[in-house]
Amino acid sequence: MHIELDDIERRLIGVLRRHPRKGVSEMARLMGFSRATVRDRLRRLEAAKVIRGYGPDIEPRSVGLGVSAFVIVTIAQGGYETATGKLGSVAEVLEIHTVTGRGDLLLRLAATTNDHLHEAIQRIAAVDEVRRTETLLALHSAVTRTVADLVVDEIDRWKARDGSR
């Protein structure tokens, strides 16, 4: 489901992004709105599944997961549901995307070492529906952004287009 976010909701997401541990009253104060307005907007965003959770963002390297990789996976015809189910059970797999191009799936993995990554890839390759894998090791992350960052940045683009700065 897609909903249009207004300026208040974008600002609220920005406050949540910068101050994730603030309570509703404090967020309302920071935004200059009533507690009821902020609470109602939060409920709307949660109900629409715009806000999926309030968990902490973890820096992988700080918890020993210094190896990041992407694995392109080609799977057997008709094996999508089974393959994604089995691949999703590999703990090191953070994301699974269906893609176009050389393969069928793109997986993002995190591991402690190259040996740990190798073990995870071996478990991926052992899935019956997997026909081929290609691994791309991430050497450096030049940009890391979240959807919340993009939503908040949209406020500035909108204001610049409108000339309301």
Side-chain angles (χ1 to χ4, degrees):
M1 177 174 137
H2 171 81
I3 70 167
E4 291 292 325
L5 300 177
D6 64 18
D7 189 45
I8 294 171
E9 291 160 341
R10 283 191 177 88
R11 287 177 56 198
L12 177 56
I13 291 169
V15 169
L16 280 170
R17 192 76 184 119
R18 288 185 304 281
H19 309 285
R21 296 176 61 152
K22 297 278 187 214
V24 173
S25 295
E26 182 62 15
M27 286 189 288
R29 187 190 66 72
L30 288 170
M31 294 177 64
F33 290 107
S34 73
R35 185 181 183 287
T37 298
V38 171
R39 184 195 63 232
D40 291 346
R41 294 304 177 104
L42 273 175
R43 285 181 182 162
R44 173 180 130 85
L45 294 172
E46 290 167 346
K49 304 225 185 303
V50 171
I51 295 177
R52 297 189 304 190
Y54 295 92
D57 289 336
I58 306 294
E59 170 55 47
R61 291 183 195 284
S62 71
V63 293
L65 296 168
V67 178
S68 296
F70 298 89
V71 179
I72 300 168
V73 178
T74 303
I75 57 174
Q77 289 282 339
Y80 177 81
E81 294 296 329
T82 304
T84 55
K86 290 177 182 177
L87 294 169
S89 71
V90 175
E92 295 83 0
V93 174
L94 302 177
E95 299 174 8
I96 300 175
H97 302 274
T98 303
V99 295
T100 62
R102 293 185 296 208
D104 301 306
L105 304 172
L106 177 66
L107 283 55
R108 183 170 73 95
L109 281 72
T112 56
T113 64
N114 285 347
D115 288 337
H116 180 200
L117 176 64
H118 175 74
E119 292 168 11
I121 293 168
Q122 293 308 304
R123 282 184 268 132
I124 290 167
V127 170
D128 290 337
E129 292 76 18
V130 170
R131 296 293 175 255
R132 182 177 185 281
T133 65
E134 178 182 349
T135 303
L136 306 165
L137 191 60
L139 299 176
H140 174 71
S141 297
V143 176
T144 55
R145 182 177 296 135
T146 68
V147 174
D149 297 322
L150 184 59
V151 167
V152 171
D153 288 346
E154 186 62 26
I155 294 171
D156 294 333
R157 282 192 217 103
W158 177 76
K159 285 180 180 176
R161 280 192 311 259
D162 229 21
S164 58
R165 269 215 151 149

